[in-house]
Amino acid sequence: MIDLDKYFLKSELIPAIIQEKNTNEVLMLAYMNKESLKLTLETGYTWFWSRSRQELWNKGATSGHLQKVVAIYGDCDDDTLLITVEQTGAACHTGSHSCFFNKIKEEK
C-alpha cells in the first residue's frame, strides 16, 4: 500500500495537474487533500478539494464530464501530482476542453 502521508508533509493540499492520456494536453489544475487522493485511488476517477466551497468534489459527477484515471505520478519533492486521465467531454467548467485557453504570450 502507498504511504499517502508523504505527499502532505508540507501542506494539507497539494496541486494536481490533470493531463489527457492520448494528447498529453494539460486539462486543468486542481487541489487534493489526503481524502480526495484516497477516493481517487479507490474509485479510479478524480476527486478534488474545492478551496472555494471547502468540500470534496468528484470531477464530472454533475456534468457527466468524468476523468477516468490512467496513471498518477508524484514529483521529485512529493508535493505535486501529475494525473493522466481519459477525459469525457470538457474538463473546464466553461465548456472548453482544457482550462488553459487564455493565451497571454506566444513566441513569434
Side-chain angles (χ1 to χ4, degrees), residues 13-16 29-33 36 47-51 57:
L13 296 177
I14 58 172
L29 179 132
Y31 289 87
M32 295 183 126
N33 62 9
S36 64
W47 285 79
F48 302 108
W49 178 256
S50 171
R51 297 181 301 162
W57 57 285

Side-chain angles (χ1 to χ4, degrees), residues 4-91:
L4 299 184
D5 290 332
K6 73 178 187 175
Y7 297 105
F8 301 94
L9 295 175
K10 298 176 187 171
S11 177
E12 291 181 9
L13 296 177
I14 58 172
I17 302 162
I18 310 304
Q19 180 182 45
E20 191 161 34
K21 174 190 171 193
N22 293 330
T23 64
N24 291 329
E25 180 180 19
V26 175
L27 299 175
M28 58 182 280
L29 179 132
Y31 289 87
M32 295 183 126
N33 62 9
K34 194 185 322 183
E35 187 176 359
S36 64
L37 178 54
K38 186 176 179 181
L39 284 166
T40 297
L41 291 167
E42 288 173 357
T43 65
Y45 289 88
T46 55
W47 285 79
F48 302 108
W49 178 256
S50 171
R51 297 181 301 162
S52 60
R53 295 187 312 269
Q54 294 291 296
E55 65 184 15
L56 289 168
W57 57 285
N58 177 216
K59 178 66 177 165
T62 304
S63 67
H65 298 174
L66 298 169
Q67 295 175 334
K68 183 174 176 21
V69 174
V70 175
I72 302 176
Y73 298 90
D75 76 338
C76 57
D77 294 323
D78 292 330
D79 61 4
T80 303
L81 299 175
L82 174 64
I83 303 178
T84 306
V85 300
E86 291 176 353
Q87 177 69 46
T88 300

